[in-house]
Amino acid sequence: MIKPVDFSESRRNNNFDLLRLAGALLVLFSHSYGEMVQRPEEFIYRWTGHRYALSTFGLLIFFSISGYLVTGSLLHSTSVKQYIWKRFLRIYPGYIVITLLSVFVLGPVFTSLSLSHYFSEGLTWKFLYQNICLLNSPRKLPGVFEGKSVNLSVWTLPFELELYGLLLLLYLLKFFRYRWLQAVLFLIATCIKFFIPLHLLQQWFHFDFGTWYSLGYVFLAGSTLYTWRDKITLHYVGVIVLLVVWLITELFHCTNNATDTIFFVYTIIWIGLKTYIPLKWKPDISYGIYIYGSPVQRVISSLTQSSLPLWNYNLVVVPLTVVMGFLSWFLVEKKAMKFKNKVQ
């Protein structure tokens, strides 16, 4: 049985909070391009031949770290109930607050409908119910932001919950006690990435594998790296070797290359654990930035009629979103996490 590490007690010894903050800001800045009237093409997206966007790197950071740390959280939990409880506290309190604010503050202020019409619309209450339950939720409110999504980023949260469930299933099936099973699972997933195009998978099984094929694989890579952390050395030499492997496979035009994901996940965890940047005060505001970023952008776009240039727009949006991230952390998330050990 592998020995778990309690990261909640060792946050001062890693850069994961700082990396998540960078990931949230990357997603925020990436989405700002879509708020411009002329919708300019993102520079990273253009430089990489339409393969990567800034939001891509942000999500790589989130799901790499999540796969690594949530696996540690699961193995450190005293019971399945405590694991589920901790995941609930990390995701739901902050998200319930932003959902309530969207329906009862943002909606009434910015809807083009009368208040009676807005609150009598079925979509309003469907938005409230399904978002609080974190189902495959509608992201639009009636008459708000000209029918645009209120919150672009939160589509990943239901998928994150599915990954937590997958991790729990693997735990119950003893994949962490007999960790070679997880290694086999990761090898199978890697072979699928290399040899089976996504469109064929979706034709064969009539299932939308898109997010599992991309972010699910990132999460699994992070989890596997945690499971085998006593055998896999995190070192800059490993970063260089994986980079070379990735570039070589690119030369052979691998259609579904998995080596880029392996390189990114390894590098992100290496930066998180082996290049520590000491910070005396580290409030974890990344989640708040992530869930409030898009609503703040929509509000500023609505008030300015998307007339601000990109950089001026971000000079307004980023500070406001950071403030919301701080408020979410100190008023909601941090207080909620104090109850994590109430369930054993």
Side-chain angles (χ1 to χ4, degrees), residues 34-47:
E35 296 295 321
M36 301 295 101
V37 173
Q38 297 180 342
R39 299 181 70 88
E41 191 174 71
E42 193 178 312
F43 67 98
I44 289 291
Y45 192 59
R46 183 175 65 252
W47 292 349

Side-chain angles (χ1 to χ4, degrees), residues 163-227:
L163 292 172
Y164 296 164
L166 172 65
L167 210 60
L168 180 57
L169 177 63
L170 296 180
Y171 175 80
L172 296 174
L173 294 175
K174 309 298 183 184
F175 272 61
F176 298 108
R177 180 175 294 276
Y178 308 105
R179 59 183 179 175
W180 61 269
L181 288 171
Q182 195 192 30
V184 170
L185 177 63
F186 181 69
L187 180 61
I188 292 172
T190 302
C191 290
I192 291 172
K193 286 274 288 183
F194 263 113
F195 301 114
I196 306 179
L198 175 60
H199 68 90
L200 285 181
L201 279 176
Q202 296 182 152
Q203 287 177 10
W204 294 345
F205 298 99
H206 303 287
F207 178 79
D208 186 7
F209 283 97
T211 311
W212 286 93
Y213 199 80
S214 54
L215 296 180
Y217 183 72
V218 173
F219 185 91
L220 181 60
S223 177
T224 304
L225 193 56
Y226 180 89
T227 306

